[in-house]
Amino acid sequence: MTLAVKRVYDKPDPKDGLRILVDRLWPRGLSKEDAALDVWLKSVAPSTELRRWFQHDARKWKVFKNKYFAELDAGTEAVGELLGYINQSDVVLLYAAKDPEHNHAVALKEYIELAVSQ
């Protein structure tokens, strides 16, 4: 099993494995064909309130991750669905944000890796 993170606007690669969009909102200006998704898992994305509070501000990153991890802990059904996909195939988590280091998909990958290692 490999778990990767990739911007949904980047060109799909045959080596991606299962392509899962983990955004609550559909990416602007992107057709469903160009996204080449296998799954859109909105339920694993941060809440609207948390997303609006964070606004991809790197200064809020540590607090954002803690709040997002708490949401993920409370939403075990969505996390369980994602883990089911990860147990079946290589997975790439797709996101639309511009910042490749401070976005929820990066945090989600970290959360999943911690959960699997325990």
PDB file of all heavy atoms in Angstrom, residues 3-6 8 19-25 27 37 39-46 51 68 72 78 82 85 91-96 103-109 112:
ATOM      1  N   LEU A   3       0.439   5.538  -0.080  1.00  0.00           N
ATOM      2  CA  LEU A   3      -0.490   6.647   0.093  1.00  0.00           C
ATOM      3  C   LEU A   3       0.249   7.905  -0.296  1.00  0.00           C
ATOM      4  O   LEU A   3       1.304   8.209   0.262  1.00  0.00           O
ATOM      5  CB  LEU A   3      -0.961   6.713   1.547  1.00  0.00           C
ATOM      6  CG  LEU A   3      -1.954   7.804   1.903  1.00  0.00           C
ATOM      7  CD1 LEU A   3      -3.235   7.662   1.085  1.00  0.00           C
ATOM      8  CD2 LEU A   3      -2.272   7.752   3.390  1.00  0.00           C
ATOM      9  N   ALA A   4      -0.284   8.617  -1.273  1.00  0.00           N
ATOM     10  CA  ALA A   4       0.352   9.829  -1.767  1.00  0.00           C
ATOM     11  C   ALA A   4      -0.657  10.969  -1.770  1.00  0.00           C
ATOM     12  O   ALA A   4      -1.863  10.756  -1.636  1.00  0.00           O
ATOM     13  CB  ALA A   4       0.898   9.595  -3.174  1.00  0.00           C
ATOM     14  N   VAL A   5      -0.134  12.159  -1.947  1.00  0.00           N
ATOM     15  CA  VAL A   5      -0.954  13.375  -2.017  1.00  0.00           C
ATOM     16  C   VAL A   5      -0.592  14.086  -3.313  1.00  0.00           C
ATOM     17  O   VAL A   5       0.582  14.191  -3.664  1.00  0.00           O
ATOM     18  CB  VAL A   5      -0.683  14.291  -0.804  1.00  0.00           C
ATOM     19  CG1 VAL A   5      -1.422  15.598  -0.936  1.00  0.00           C
ATOM     20  CG2 VAL A   5      -1.035  13.590   0.495  1.00  0.00           C
ATOM     21  N   LYS A   6      -1.627  14.583  -3.993  1.00  0.00           N
ATOM     22  CA  LYS A   6      -1.389  15.225  -5.283  1.00  0.00           C
ATOM     23  C   LYS A   6      -2.458  16.281  -5.521  1.00  0.00           C
ATOM     24  O   LYS A   6      -3.612  16.111  -5.117  1.00  0.00           O
ATOM     25  CB  LYS A   6      -1.451  14.152  -6.377  1.00  0.00           C
ATOM     26  CG  LYS A   6      -1.053  14.587  -7.746  1.00  0.00           C
ATOM     27  CD  LYS A   6      -1.036  13.366  -8.671  1.00  0.00           C
ATOM     28  CE  LYS A   6      -0.559  13.703 -10.042  1.00  0.00           C
ATOM     29  NZ  LYS A   6      -0.521  12.516 -10.898  1.00  0.00           N
ATOM     30  N   VAL A   8      -5.237  18.034  -7.539  1.00  0.00           N
ATOM     31  CA  VAL A   8      -6.190  17.495  -8.503  1.00  0.00           C
ATOM     32  C   VAL A   8      -5.996  18.102  -9.895  1.00  0.00           C
ATOM     33  O   VAL A   8      -6.351  17.484 -10.893  1.00  0.00           O
ATOM     34  CB  VAL A   8      -7.647  17.668  -7.999  1.00  0.00           C
ATOM     35  CG1 VAL A   8      -8.071  19.126  -8.030  1.00  0.00           C
ATOM     36  CG2 VAL A   8      -8.610  16.787  -8.770  1.00  0.00           C
ATOM     37  N   ARG A  19      -7.650   7.166  -7.273  1.00  0.00           N
ATOM     38  CA  ARG A  19      -7.612   8.630  -7.151  1.00  0.00           C
ATOM     39  C   ARG A  19      -8.852   9.088  -6.370  1.00  0.00           C
ATOM     40  O   ARG A  19      -9.963   8.965  -6.865  1.00  0.00           O
ATOM     41  CB  ARG A  19      -7.557   9.278  -8.527  1.00  0.00           C
ATOM     42  CG  ARG A  19      -6.251   8.976  -9.255  1.00  0.00           C
ATOM     43  CD  ARG A  19      -6.255   9.451 -10.692  1.00  0.00           C
ATOM     44  NE  ARG A  19      -6.678  10.832 -10.854  1.00  0.00           N
ATOM     45  CZ  ARG A  19      -5.875  11.899 -10.755  1.00  0.00           C
ATOM     46  NH1 ARG A  19      -4.594  11.746 -10.502  1.00  0.00           N
ATOM     47  NH2 ARG A  19      -6.358  13.117 -10.929  1.00  0.00           N
ATOM     48  N   ILE A  20      -8.605   9.616  -5.155  1.00  0.00           N
ATOM     49  CA  ILE A  20      -9.702  10.002  -4.272  1.00  0.00           C
ATOM     50  C   ILE A  20      -9.638  11.497  -3.989  1.00  0.00           C
ATOM     51  O   ILE A  20      -8.671  11.988  -3.387  1.00  0.00           O
ATOM     52  CB  ILE A  20      -9.638   9.221  -2.937  1.00  0.00           C
ATOM     53  CG1 ILE A  20      -9.695   7.720  -3.199  1.00  0.00           C
ATOM     54  CG2 ILE A  20     -10.768   9.667  -2.010  1.00  0.00           C
ATOM     55  CD1 ILE A  20      -9.552   6.870  -1.956  1.00  0.00           C
ATOM     56  N   LEU A  21     -10.657  12.220  -4.420  1.00  0.00           N
ATOM     57  CA  LEU A  21     -10.771  13.644  -4.109  1.00  0.00           C
ATOM     58  C   LEU A  21     -11.268  13.773  -2.679  1.00  0.00           C
ATOM     59  O   LEU A  21     -12.304  13.204  -2.324  1.00  0.00           O
ATOM     60  CB  LEU A  21     -11.741  14.339  -5.072  1.00  0.00           C
ATOM     61  CG  LEU A  21     -11.972  15.829  -4.824  1.00  0.00           C
ATOM     62  CD1 LEU A  21     -10.687  16.637  -5.001  1.00  0.00           C
ATOM     63  CD2 LEU A  21     -13.064  16.355  -5.751  1.00  0.00           C
ATOM     64  N   VAL A  22     -10.519  14.505  -1.850  1.00  0.00           N
ATOM     65  CA  VAL A  22     -10.869  14.637  -0.438  1.00  0.00           C
ATOM     66  C   VAL A  22     -11.284  16.066  -0.089  1.00  0.00           C
ATOM     67  O   VAL A  22     -11.190  16.478   1.059  1.00  0.00           O
ATOM     68  CB  VAL A  22      -9.723  14.136   0.485  1.00  0.00           C
ATOM     69  CG1 VAL A  22      -9.532  12.633   0.327  1.00  0.00           C
ATOM     70  CG2 VAL A  22      -8.426  14.880   0.228  1.00  0.00           C
ATOM     71  N   ASP A  23     -11.759  16.805  -1.068  1.00  0.00           N
ATOM     72  CA  ASP A  23     -12.285  18.160  -0.845  1.00  0.00           C
ATOM     73  C   ASP A  23     -13.796  18.103  -0.685  1.00  0.00           C
ATOM     74  O   ASP A  23     -14.466  17.281  -1.326  1.00  0.00           O
ATOM     75  CB  ASP A  23     -11.957  19.073  -2.026  1.00  0.00           C
ATOM     76  CG  ASP A  23     -10.534  19.584  -2.006  1.00  0.00           C
ATOM     77  OD1 ASP A  23      -9.809  19.311  -1.040  1.00  0.00           O
ATOM     78  OD2 ASP A  23     -10.147  20.274  -2.967  1.00  0.00           O
ATOM     79  N   ARG A  24     -14.327  19.003   0.129  1.00  0.00           N
ATOM     80  CA  ARG A  24     -15.779  19.101   0.308  1.00  0.00           C
ATOM     81  C   ARG A  24     -16.429  19.772  -0.903  1.00  0.00           C
ATOM     82  O   ARG A  24     -17.557  19.478  -1.272  1.00  0.00           O
ATOM     83  CB  ARG A  24     -16.092  19.885   1.584  1.00  0.00           C
ATOM     84  CG  ARG A  24     -17.517  19.796   2.019  1.00  0.00           C
ATOM     85  CD  ARG A  24     -17.732  20.301   3.423  1.00  0.00           C
ATOM     86  NE  ARG A  24     -16.997  19.565   4.441  1.00  0.00           N
ATOM     87  CZ  ARG A  24     -17.390  18.409   4.988  1.00  0.00           C
ATOM     88  NH1 ARG A  24     -18.523  17.871   4.614  1.00  0.00           N
ATOM     89  NH2 ARG A  24     -16.661  17.810   5.907  1.00  0.00           N
ATOM     90  N   LEU A  25     -15.689  20.697  -1.537  1.00  0.00           N
ATOM     91  CA  LEU A  25     -16.204  21.438  -2.687  1.00  0.00           C
ATOM     92  C   LEU A  25     -15.518  20.944  -3.966  1.00  0.00           C
ATOM     93  O   LEU A  25     -14.338  20.591  -3.952  1.00  0.00           O
ATOM     94  CB  LEU A  25     -15.934  22.940  -2.521  1.00  0.00           C
ATOM     95  CG  LEU A  25     -16.481  23.581  -1.256  1.00  0.00           C
ATOM     96  CD1 LEU A  25     -15.997  25.018  -1.149  1.00  0.00           C
ATOM     97  CD2 LEU A  25     -17.992  23.513  -1.216  1.00  0.00           C
ATOM     98  N   PRO A  27     -13.500  21.204  -7.286  1.00  0.00           N
ATOM     99  CA  PRO A  27     -12.452  22.159  -7.708  1.00  0.00           C
ATOM    100  C   PRO A  27     -12.922  23.060  -8.851  1.00  0.00           C
ATOM    101  O   PRO A  27     -13.513  22.581  -9.824  1.00  0.00           O
ATOM    102  CB  PRO A  27     -11.318  21.254  -8.176  1.00  0.00           C
ATOM    103  CG  PRO A  27     -11.600  19.913  -7.580  1.00  0.00           C
ATOM    104  CD  PRO A  27     -13.080  19.822  -7.427  1.00  0.00           C
ATOM    105  N   LEU A  37     -11.244  11.064 -11.507  1.00  0.00           N
ATOM    106  CA  LEU A  37     -11.434  10.533 -10.153  1.00  0.00           C
ATOM    107  C   LEU A  37     -11.968   9.121 -10.176  1.00  0.00           C
ATOM    108  O   LEU A  37     -12.707   8.740 -11.072  1.00  0.00           O
ATOM    109  CB  LEU A  37     -12.483  11.354  -9.390  1.00  0.00           C
ATOM    110  CG  LEU A  37     -12.245  12.803  -9.146  1.00  0.00           C
ATOM    111  CD1 LEU A  37     -13.392  13.371  -8.329  1.00  0.00           C
ATOM    112  CD2 LEU A  37     -10.944  13.025  -8.441  1.00  0.00           C
ATOM    113  N   VAL A  39     -13.056   8.187  -6.806  1.00  0.00           N
ATOM    114  CA  VAL A  39     -13.957   8.395  -5.679  1.00  0.00           C
ATOM    115  C   VAL A  39     -13.883   9.862  -5.265  1.00  0.00           C
ATOM    116  O   VAL A  39     -12.809  10.461  -5.267  1.00  0.00           O
ATOM    117  CB  VAL A  39     -13.531   7.524  -4.459  1.00  0.00           C
ATOM    118  CG1 VAL A  39     -14.415   7.783  -3.257  1.00  0.00           C
ATOM    119  CG2 VAL A  39     -13.533   6.053  -4.821  1.00  0.00           C
ATOM    120  N   TRP A  40     -15.043  10.426  -4.904  1.00  0.00           N
ATOM    121  CA  TRP A  40     -15.074  11.752  -4.283  1.00  0.00           C
ATOM    122  C   TRP A  40     -15.568  11.531  -2.863  1.00  0.00           C
ATOM    123  O   TRP A  40     -16.747  11.239  -2.646  1.00  0.00           O
ATOM    124  CB  TRP A  40     -15.984  12.680  -5.057  1.00  0.00           C
ATOM    125  CG  TRP A  40     -16.028  14.089  -4.529  1.00  0.00           C
ATOM    126  CD1 TRP A  40     -15.215  14.670  -3.610  1.00  0.00           C
ATOM    127  CD2 TRP A  40     -16.954  15.105  -4.929  1.00  0.00           C
ATOM    128  NE1 TRP A  40     -15.561  15.975  -3.403  1.00  0.00           N
ATOM    129  CE2 TRP A  40     -16.626  16.276  -4.200  1.00  0.00           C
ATOM    130  CE3 TRP A  40     -18.018  15.151  -5.824  1.00  0.00           C
ATOM    131  CZ2 TRP A  40     -17.332  17.467  -4.337  1.00  0.00           C
ATOM    132  CZ3 TRP A  40     -18.716  16.331  -5.961  1.00  0.00           C
ATOM    133  CH2 TRP A  40     -18.378  17.481  -5.239  1.00  0.00           C
ATOM    134  N   LEU A  41     -14.683  11.663  -1.893  1.00  0.00           N
ATOM    135  CA  LEU A  41     -14.997  11.370  -0.498  1.00  0.00           C
ATOM    136  C   LEU A  41     -15.072  12.686   0.285  1.00  0.00           C
ATOM    137  O   LEU A  41     -14.171  13.053   1.023  1.00  0.00           O
ATOM    138  CB  LEU A  41     -13.939  10.431   0.079  1.00  0.00           C
ATOM    139  CG  LEU A  41     -14.224   9.774   1.411  1.00  0.00           C
ATOM    140  CD1 LEU A  41     -15.528   8.986   1.389  1.00  0.00           C
ATOM    141  CD2 LEU A  41     -13.078   8.870   1.809  1.00  0.00           C
ATOM    142  N   LYS A  42     -16.192  13.403   0.107  1.00  0.00           N
ATOM    143  CA  LYS A  42     -16.399  14.701   0.757  1.00  0.00           C
ATOM    144  C   LYS A  42     -16.392  14.589   2.273  1.00  0.00           C
ATOM    145  O   LYS A  42     -15.963  15.502   2.970  1.00  0.00           O
ATOM    146  CB  LYS A  42     -17.760  15.289   0.371  1.00  0.00           C
ATOM    147  CG  LYS A  42     -17.980  15.551  -1.064  1.00  0.00           C
ATOM    148  CD  LYS A  42     -19.387  16.092  -1.251  1.00  0.00           C
ATOM    149  CE  LYS A  42     -19.953  15.681  -2.560  1.00  0.00           C
ATOM    150  NZ  LYS A  42     -21.296  16.201  -2.770  1.00  0.00           N
ATOM    151  N   SER A  43     -16.896  13.484   2.784  1.00  0.00           N
ATOM    152  CA  SER A  43     -17.113  13.339   4.220  1.00  0.00           C
ATOM    153  C   SER A  43     -15.821  13.308   5.032  1.00  0.00           C
ATOM    154  O   SER A  43     -15.853  13.489   6.254  1.00  0.00           O
ATOM    155  CB  SER A  43     -17.921  12.081   4.500  1.00  0.00           C
ATOM    156  OG  SER A  43     -17.285  10.950   3.945  1.00  0.00           O
ATOM    157  N   VAL A  44     -14.678  13.124   4.389  1.00  0.00           N
ATOM    158  CA  VAL A  44     -13.411  13.095   5.108  1.00  0.00           C
ATOM    159  C   VAL A  44     -12.721  14.472   5.083  1.00  0.00           C
ATOM    160  O   VAL A  44     -11.719  14.676   5.752  1.00  0.00           O
ATOM    161  CB  VAL A  44     -12.502  11.973   4.554  1.00  0.00           C
ATOM    162  CG1 VAL A  44     -11.828  12.383   3.265  1.00  0.00           C
ATOM    163  CG2 VAL A  44     -11.505  11.507   5.572  1.00  0.00           C
ATOM    164  N   ALA A  45     -13.302  15.421   4.403  1.00  0.00           N
ATOM    165  CA  ALA A  45     -12.757  16.780   4.335  1.00  0.00           C
ATOM    166  C   ALA A  45     -13.054  17.532   5.634  1.00  0.00           C
ATOM    167  O   ALA A  45     -13.978  17.175   6.370  1.00  0.00           O
ATOM    168  CB  ALA A  45     -13.368  17.528   3.148  1.00  0.00           C
ATOM    169  N   PRO A  46     -12.292  18.585   5.920  1.00  0.00           N
ATOM    170  CA  PRO A  46     -12.586  19.380   7.112  1.00  0.00           C
ATOM    171  C   PRO A  46     -13.974  20.015   7.019  1.00  0.00           C
ATOM    172  O   PRO A  46     -14.485  20.253   5.917  1.00  0.00           O
ATOM    173  CB  PRO A  46     -11.518  20.475   7.098  1.00  0.00           C
ATOM    174  CG  PRO A  46     -10.512  20.075   6.095  1.00  0.00           C
ATOM    175  CD  PRO A  46     -11.153  19.093   5.173  1.00  0.00           C
ATOM    176  N   ARG A  51     -12.534  24.869   7.631  1.00  0.00           N
ATOM    177  CA  ARG A  51     -11.916  25.300   6.361  1.00  0.00           C
ATOM    178  C   ARG A  51     -11.906  26.822   6.256  1.00  0.00           C
ATOM    179  O   ARG A  51     -10.897  27.428   5.899  1.00  0.00           O
ATOM    180  CB  ARG A  51     -12.677  24.684   5.186  1.00  0.00           C
ATOM    181  CG  ARG A  51     -12.144  25.065   3.820  1.00  0.00           C
ATOM    182  CD  ARG A  51     -12.947  24.403   2.706  1.00  0.00           C
ATOM    183  NE  ARG A  51     -14.380  24.537   2.829  1.00  0.00           N
ATOM    184  CZ  ARG A  51     -15.074  25.608   2.433  1.00  0.00           C
ATOM    185  NH1 ARG A  51     -14.452  26.646   1.893  1.00  0.00           N
ATOM    186  NH2 ARG A  51     -16.384  25.645   2.560  1.00  0.00           N
ATOM    187  N   TYR A  68      -8.480  19.455  12.962  1.00  0.00           N
ATOM    188  CA  TYR A  68      -8.887  18.524  11.905  1.00  0.00           C
ATOM    189  C   TYR A  68      -8.770  17.078  12.388  1.00  0.00           C
ATOM    190  O   TYR A  68      -9.669  16.264  12.157  1.00  0.00           O
ATOM    191  CB  TYR A  68      -8.041  18.769  10.658  1.00  0.00           C
ATOM    192  CG  TYR A  68      -8.410  17.936   9.455  1.00  0.00           C
ATOM    193  CD1 TYR A  68      -9.733  17.604   9.159  1.00  0.00           C
ATOM    194  CD2 TYR A  68      -7.431  17.488   8.579  1.00  0.00           C
ATOM    195  CE1 TYR A  68     -10.061  16.849   8.045  1.00  0.00           C
ATOM    196  CE2 TYR A  68      -7.747  16.738   7.465  1.00  0.00           C
ATOM    197  CZ  TYR A  68      -9.061  16.420   7.206  1.00  0.00           C
ATOM    198  OH  TYR A  68      -9.375  15.669   6.095  1.00  0.00           O
ATOM    199  N   LEU A  72     -11.627  14.232  12.524  1.00  0.00           N
ATOM    200  CA  LEU A  72     -11.455  12.892  11.954  1.00  0.00           C
ATOM    201  C   LEU A  72     -11.707  11.820  13.009  1.00  0.00           C
ATOM    202  O   LEU A  72     -12.311  10.790  12.715  1.00  0.00           O
ATOM    203  CB  LEU A  72     -10.062  12.744  11.342  1.00  0.00           C
ATOM    204  CG  LEU A  72      -9.807  13.588  10.085  1.00  0.00           C
ATOM    205  CD1 LEU A  72      -8.333  13.589   9.727  1.00  0.00           C
ATOM    206  CD2 LEU A  72     -10.654  13.101   8.923  1.00  0.00           C
ATOM    207  N   ALA A  78     -16.279   7.948   7.975  1.00  0.00           N
ATOM    208  CA  ALA A  78     -15.575   8.451   6.795  1.00  0.00           C
ATOM    209  C   ALA A  78     -14.135   7.945   6.769  1.00  0.00           C
ATOM    210  O   ALA A  78     -13.629   7.534   5.722  1.00  0.00           O
ATOM    211  CB  ALA A  78     -15.603   9.978   6.776  1.00  0.00           C
ATOM    212  N   LEU A  82     -12.252   5.449   3.983  1.00  0.00           N
ATOM    213  CA  LEU A  82     -10.961   5.739   3.365  1.00  0.00           C
ATOM    214  C   LEU A  82      -9.960   4.615   3.634  1.00  0.00           C
ATOM    215  O   LEU A  82      -9.257   4.169   2.727  1.00  0.00           O
ATOM    216  CB  LEU A  82     -10.417   7.074   3.879  1.00  0.00           C
ATOM    217  CG  LEU A  82      -9.065   7.498   3.321  1.00  0.00           C
ATOM    218  CD1 LEU A  82      -9.078   7.571   1.791  1.00  0.00           C
ATOM    219  CD2 LEU A  82      -8.650   8.833   3.918  1.00  0.00           C
ATOM    220  N   TYR A  85     -10.442   1.729   1.289  1.00  0.00           N
ATOM    221  CA  TYR A  85      -9.831   1.925  -0.031  1.00  0.00           C
ATOM    222  C   TYR A  85      -8.320   1.708   0.035  1.00  0.00           C
ATOM    223  O   TYR A  85      -7.735   1.069  -0.838  1.00  0.00           O
ATOM    224  CB  TYR A  85     -10.117   3.332  -0.564  1.00  0.00           C
ATOM    225  CG  TYR A  85     -11.557   3.583  -0.918  1.00  0.00           C
ATOM    226  CD1 TYR A  85     -12.253   4.631  -0.339  1.00  0.00           C
ATOM    227  CD2 TYR A  85     -12.227   2.790  -1.840  1.00  0.00           C
ATOM    228  CE1 TYR A  85     -13.581   4.882  -0.665  1.00  0.00           C
ATOM    229  CE2 TYR A  85     -13.547   3.023  -2.177  1.00  0.00           C
ATOM    230  CZ  TYR A  85     -14.223   4.073  -1.588  1.00  0.00           C
ATOM    231  OH  TYR A  85     -15.525   4.311  -1.914  1.00  0.00           O
ATOM    232  N   VAL A  91      -3.241   4.501  -3.162  1.00  0.00           N
ATOM    233  CA  VAL A  91      -4.195   5.612  -3.162  1.00  0.00           C
ATOM    234  C   VAL A  91      -3.445   6.927  -3.272  1.00  0.00           C
ATOM    235  O   VAL A  91      -2.394   7.112  -2.661  1.00  0.00           O
ATOM    236  CB  VAL A  91      -5.042   5.607  -1.865  1.00  0.00           C
ATOM    237  CG1 VAL A  91      -5.837   6.892  -1.709  1.00  0.00           C
ATOM    238  CG2 VAL A  91      -5.978   4.410  -1.844  1.00  0.00           C
ATOM    239  N   VAL A  92      -4.004   7.833  -4.059  1.00  0.00           N
ATOM    240  CA  VAL A  92      -3.534   9.211  -4.077  1.00  0.00           C
ATOM    241  C   VAL A  92      -4.701  10.084  -3.607  1.00  0.00           C
ATOM    242  O   VAL A  92      -5.814   9.966  -4.108  1.00  0.00           O
ATOM    243  CB  VAL A  92      -2.985   9.648  -5.452  1.00  0.00           C
ATOM    244  CG1 VAL A  92      -4.021   9.602  -6.535  1.00  0.00           C
ATOM    245  CG2 VAL A  92      -2.361  11.024  -5.378  1.00  0.00           C
ATOM    246  N   LEU A  93      -4.425  10.904  -2.584  1.00  0.00           N
ATOM    247  CA  LEU A  93      -5.413  11.840  -2.061  1.00  0.00           C
ATOM    248  C   LEU A  93      -5.302  13.126  -2.867  1.00  0.00           C
ATOM    249  O   LEU A  93      -4.236  13.742  -2.922  1.00  0.00           O
ATOM    250  CB  LEU A  93      -5.142  12.125  -0.582  1.00  0.00           C
ATOM    251  CG  LEU A  93      -5.122  10.920   0.349  1.00  0.00           C
ATOM    252  CD1 LEU A  93      -4.709  11.343   1.754  1.00  0.00           C
ATOM    253  CD2 LEU A  93      -6.475  10.226   0.367  1.00  0.00           C
ATOM    254  N   LEU A  94      -6.384  13.530  -3.482  1.00  0.00           N
ATOM    255  CA  LEU A  94      -6.391  14.707  -4.347  1.00  0.00           C
ATOM    256  C   LEU A  94      -6.990  15.903  -3.617  1.00  0.00           C
ATOM    257  O   LEU A  94      -7.996  15.769  -2.916  1.00  0.00           O
ATOM    258  CB  LEU A  94      -7.200  14.423  -5.607  1.00  0.00           C
ATOM    259  CG  LEU A  94      -6.695  13.263  -6.460  1.00  0.00           C
ATOM    260  CD1 LEU A  94      -7.696  12.929  -7.547  1.00  0.00           C
ATOM    261  CD2 LEU A  94      -5.336  13.599  -7.062  1.00  0.00           C
ATOM    262  N   TYR A  95      -6.392  17.066  -3.818  1.00  0.00           N
ATOM    263  CA  TYR A  95      -6.851  18.309  -3.210  1.00  0.00           C
ATOM    264  C   TYR A  95      -6.746  19.425  -4.232  1.00  0.00           C
ATOM    265  O   TYR A  95      -5.993  19.313  -5.203  1.00  0.00           O
ATOM    266  CB  TYR A  95      -6.019  18.643  -1.960  1.00  0.00           C
ATOM    267  CG  TYR A  95      -4.590  18.973  -2.292  1.00  0.00           C
ATOM    268  CD1 TYR A  95      -4.185  20.294  -2.481  1.00  0.00           C
ATOM    269  CD2 TYR A  95      -3.635  17.978  -2.447  1.00  0.00           C
ATOM    270  CE1 TYR A  95      -2.875  20.600  -2.814  1.00  0.00           C
ATOM    271  CE2 TYR A  95      -2.322  18.277  -2.772  1.00  0.00           C
ATOM    272  CZ  TYR A  95      -1.951  19.596  -2.957  1.00  0.00           C
ATOM    273  OH  TYR A  95      -0.659  19.893  -3.289  1.00  0.00           O
ATOM    274  N   ALA A  96      -7.443  20.541  -3.994  1.00  0.00           N
ATOM    275  CA  ALA A  96      -7.427  21.658  -4.931  1.00  0.00           C
ATOM    276  C   ALA A  96      -6.605  22.850  -4.453  1.00  0.00           C
ATOM    277  O   ALA A  96      -6.282  23.724  -5.246  1.00  0.00           O
ATOM    278  CB  ALA A  96      -8.858  22.118  -5.218  1.00  0.00           C
ATOM    279  N   ASN A 103      -2.136  21.994   3.551  1.00  0.00           N
ATOM    280  CA  ASN A 103      -3.505  21.730   3.106  1.00  0.00           C
ATOM    281  C   ASN A 103      -4.009  20.477   3.815  1.00  0.00           C
ATOM    282  O   ASN A 103      -3.236  19.687   4.347  1.00  0.00           O
ATOM    283  CB  ASN A 103      -3.579  21.608   1.579  1.00  0.00           C
ATOM    284  CG  ASN A 103      -2.850  20.398   1.063  1.00  0.00           C
ATOM    285  OD1 ASN A 103      -3.284  19.265   1.271  1.00  0.00           O
ATOM    286  ND2 ASN A 103      -1.719  20.615   0.393  1.00  0.00           N
ATOM    287  N   HIS A 104      -5.305  20.305   3.809  1.00  0.00           N
ATOM    288  CA  HIS A 104      -5.909  19.214   4.580  1.00  0.00           C
ATOM    289  C   HIS A 104      -5.526  17.833   4.063  1.00  0.00           C
ATOM    290  O   HIS A 104      -5.500  16.878   4.834  1.00  0.00           O
ATOM    291  CB  HIS A 104      -7.430  19.377   4.629  1.00  0.00           C
ATOM    292  CG  HIS A 104      -8.083  19.133   3.317  1.00  0.00           C
ATOM    293  ND1 HIS A 104      -8.075  20.053   2.310  1.00  0.00           N
ATOM    294  CD2 HIS A 104      -8.719  18.041   2.858  1.00  0.00           C
ATOM    295  CE1 HIS A 104      -8.704  19.545   1.261  1.00  0.00           C
ATOM    296  NE2 HIS A 104      -9.106  18.326   1.566  1.00  0.00           N
ATOM    297  N   ALA A 105      -5.212  17.682   2.788  1.00  0.00           N
ATOM    298  CA  ALA A 105      -4.823  16.367   2.269  1.00  0.00           C
ATOM    299  C   ALA A 105      -3.490  15.925   2.872  1.00  0.00           C
ATOM    300  O   ALA A 105      -3.314  14.742   3.194  1.00  0.00           O
ATOM    301  CB  ALA A 105      -4.748  16.390   0.747  1.00  0.00           C
ATOM    302  N   VAL A 106      -2.572  16.856   3.060  1.00  0.00           N
ATOM    303  CA  VAL A 106      -1.298  16.550   3.701  1.00  0.00           C
ATOM    304  C   VAL A 106      -1.550  16.128   5.151  1.00  0.00           C
ATOM    305  O   VAL A 106      -0.989  15.138   5.634  1.00  0.00           O
ATOM    306  CB  VAL A 106      -0.346  17.768   3.632  1.00  0.00           C
ATOM    307  CG1 VAL A 106       0.873  17.575   4.512  1.00  0.00           C
ATOM    308  CG2 VAL A 106       0.067  18.043   2.197  1.00  0.00           C
ATOM    309  N   ALA A 107      -2.423  16.875   5.832  1.00  0.00           N
ATOM    310  CA  ALA A 107      -2.765  16.532   7.217  1.00  0.00           C
ATOM    311  C   ALA A 107      -3.473  15.177   7.279  1.00  0.00           C
ATOM    312  O   ALA A 107      -3.188  14.369   8.166  1.00  0.00           O
ATOM    313  CB  ALA A 107      -3.646  17.621   7.821  1.00  0.00           C
ATOM    314  N   LEU A 108      -4.365  14.925   6.340  1.00  0.00           N
ATOM    315  CA  LEU A 108      -5.094  13.655   6.308  1.00  0.00           C
ATOM    316  C   LEU A 108      -4.134  12.483   6.098  1.00  0.00           C
ATOM    317  O   LEU A 108      -4.254  11.443   6.753  1.00  0.00           O
ATOM    318  CB  LEU A 108      -6.155  13.688   5.208  1.00  0.00           C
ATOM    319  CG  LEU A 108      -6.980  12.430   5.008  1.00  0.00           C
ATOM    320  CD1 LEU A 108      -7.734  12.047   6.281  1.00  0.00           C
ATOM    321  CD2 LEU A 108      -7.963  12.638   3.849  1.00  0.00           C
ATOM    322  N   LYS A 109      -3.174  12.642   5.220  1.00  0.00           N
ATOM    323  CA  LYS A 109      -2.177  11.595   4.994  1.00  0.00           C
ATOM    324  C   LYS A 109      -1.418  11.307   6.286  1.00  0.00           C
ATOM    325  O   LYS A 109      -1.217  10.147   6.655  1.00  0.00           O
ATOM    326  CB  LYS A 109      -1.218  12.002   3.880  1.00  0.00           C
ATOM    327  CG  LYS A 109      -0.136  10.975   3.577  1.00  0.00           C
ATOM    328  CD  LYS A 109       0.762  11.459   2.439  1.00  0.00           C
ATOM    329  CE  LYS A 109       1.786  10.436   2.029  1.00  0.00           C
ATOM    330  NZ  LYS A 109       2.933  10.367   2.923  1.00  0.00           N
ATOM    331  N   ILE A 112      -3.715   9.377   8.687  1.00  0.00           N
ATOM    332  CA  ILE A 112      -3.879   7.972   8.275  1.00  0.00           C
ATOM    333  C   ILE A 112      -2.608   7.182   8.581  1.00  0.00           C
ATOM    334  O   ILE A 112      -2.673   6.062   9.101  1.00  0.00           O
ATOM    335  CB  ILE A 112      -4.236   7.869   6.777  1.00  0.00           C
ATOM    336  CG1 ILE A 112      -5.620   8.468   6.524  1.00  0.00           C
ATOM    337  CG2 ILE A 112      -4.151   6.443   6.280  1.00  0.00           C
ATOM    338  CD1 ILE A 112      -6.766   7.774   7.216  1.00  0.00           C
TER     339      ILE A 112
END
